Amino acid sequence: MKKKRLKISRLVPPGFDYGPELKALCWIVGGALVLSLFWFTDLREARRALFDRYLGVLRPIPGAVMRDFGKMVWPYMSGFAVAALWALSFVGVHYQYHHRVSKSIYTMKRLPNRLELHLRCWTLPLSCFAAILLAGFLLLLIYYAVYLLVTPAENLAPDQWKKLWSVIL
């Protein structure tokens, strides 16, 4: 019994070369990942501000509070939001390909399944959109765990998770 494999060519307009589209998305997600790594320098500086060096010895500053996680991390994670929105912009490219480049819109309108046109235009961009947002969210969870690990408990402001969502939403 043969296994049926999902072909990406069934998710894009007929004849559409999706390789450059996926390659561009990989580059922009890679750029978002590299941008997010600069958060660690901001984390190091924020942690360094919690301590004072006196005669070569690090002493905690009494009453010092670590910067909020959400305000610290959002500028570095915004690249994933931009990449996800950019992935959605390919919906327009797919519709344009049907109308202008291949003129396959006439064939698509004659198909018995009226949704075939929309499935071929929306499936790959929506899948990439969801994958990028999921990757960004998983990375955000990892960064949150690192934030909690490196911040001393006495310097941690309460309700960091709620503050993060107030920054995002």
Side-chain angles (χ1 to χ4, degrees):
M1 185 173 182
K2 286 187 176 181
K3 289 184 179 179
K4 287 191 174 184
R5 298 171 89 184
L6 178 66
K7 294 183 180 179
I8 294 181
S9 61
R10 298 269 310 140
L11 305 176
V12 295
F16 185 77
D17 184 17
Y18 57 87
E21 182 176 308
L22 290 180
K23 190 181 287 187
L25 281 174
C26 286
W27 276 104
I28 195 167
V29 169
L33 177 65
V34 169
L35 173 68
S36 76
L37 291 175
F38 285 106
W39 173 75
F40 286 103
T41 59
D42 202 12
L43 178 66
R44 185 184 67 217
E45 293 301 318
R47 188 174 191 290
R48 192 177 286 168
L50 300 175
F51 297 96
D52 186 23
R53 186 175 295 274
Y54 181 72
L55 298 174
V57 177
L58 281 177
R59 296 181 313 171
I61 299 172
V65 178
M66 183 76 150
R67 286 180 44 209
D68 287 338
F69 175 73
K71 291 179 182 173
M72 247 173 53
V73 79
W74 175 244
Y76 300 103
M77 297 301 286
S78 60
F80 285 98
V82 170
L85 291 175
W86 195 60
L88 280 183
S89 73
F90 284 113
V91 171
V93 173
H94 291 185
Y95 277 114
Q96 183 181 18
Y97 183 84
H98 278 294
H99 286 280
R100 293 199 179 139
V101 180
S102 71
K103 298 288 188 190
S104 61
I105 188 67
Y106 303 114
T107 304
M108 297 303 288
K109 286 188 175 187
R110 288 186 306 211
L111 292 175
N113 183 2
R114 295 279 182 205
L115 293 177
E116 185 71 22
L117 169 68
H118 305 296
L119 286 173
R120 287 182 176 259
C121 290
W122 282 90
T123 305
L124 188 61
L126 275 180
S127 300
C128 291
F129 175 81
I132 292 168
L133 287 183
L134 179 65
F137 183 71
L138 291 176
L139 193 62
L140 184 72
L141 290 177
I142 292 169
Y143 285 2
Y144 186 66
V146 169
Y147 174 84
L148 292 178
L149 284 174
V150 303
T151 305
E154 61 270 5
N155 301 110
L156 193 60
D159 298 327
Q160 287 299 312
W161 192 247
K162 288 180 186 176
K163 291 178 184 178
L164 170 66
W165 285 107
S166 69
V167 169
I168 291 174
L169 299 176

